Amino acid sequence: QVHLVDSGGGLVQAGDSLRLSCVASGRTFKMGWFRQAPGKEREFVAAIYWSGGSTRYDDSVKGRFAISGNSAKNTVYLQMNSLKPEDTAVYYCAAALRYGAYEYWGQGTQVTVSS
């Protein structure tokens, strides 16, 4: 069992930046970020695989968002730059202990981008 605590959301203007953080209570195989906007399904944003440090991004955030972290501290970050109103959503940290589906989820942190 892994417990995730995510934080760092807030209200910003278009073009601003925010950094989200997530701390896991134990070691994981991969960690990622998802988001869910009102009336929409939860969607993948970014992921990092601790073995080798490879990363993945949804096309909608490539070049604007950057995922990073410290596997020894079980911590992952999502640096969000050039934020757009369409980035407004609740952002969830997720983790998996092995390759495959994410098993554990944070409580979510609200990101609101005003135009």
Side-chain angles (χ1 to χ4, degrees):
Q1 188 80 9
V2 175
H3 183 59
L4 304 177
V5 178
D6 44 35
S7 61
L11 172 61
V12 298
Q13 294 186 333
D16 285 351
S17 298
L18 273 178
R19 189 176 83 153
L20 305 183
S21 301
C22 177
V23 180
S25 61
R27 294 183 65 97
T28 60
F29 171 72
K30 64 177 180 179
M31 294 182 73
W33 290 95
F34 289 72
R35 65 187 181 186
Q36 186 168 20
K40 295 187 177 181
E41 294 187 353
R42 186 158 53 188
E43 62 180 13
F44 170 77
V45 176
I48 186 166
Y49 295 75
W50 295 124
S51 178
S54 63
T55 57
R56 301 285 187 271
Y57 296 95
D58 181 77
D59 286 345
S60 65
V61 305
K62 280 182 181 177
R64 300 188 299 121
F65 291 11
I67 190 170
S68 63
N70 186 325
S71 60
K73 296 184 178 180
N74 303 318
T75 301
V76 66
Y77 306 100
L78 184 67
Q79 178 66 43
M80 305 186 294
N81 300 324
S82 302
L83 283 162
K84 304 175 181 180
E86 51 263 44
D87 294 318
T88 294
V90 177
Y91 284 69
Y92 296 91
C93 175
L97 302 184
R98 59 193 61 82
Y99 187 84
Y102 288 90
E103 303 157 278
Y104 303 101
W105 298 85
Q107 80 281 6
T109 184
Q110 176 71 48
V111 172
T112 303
V113 185
S114 63
S115 58

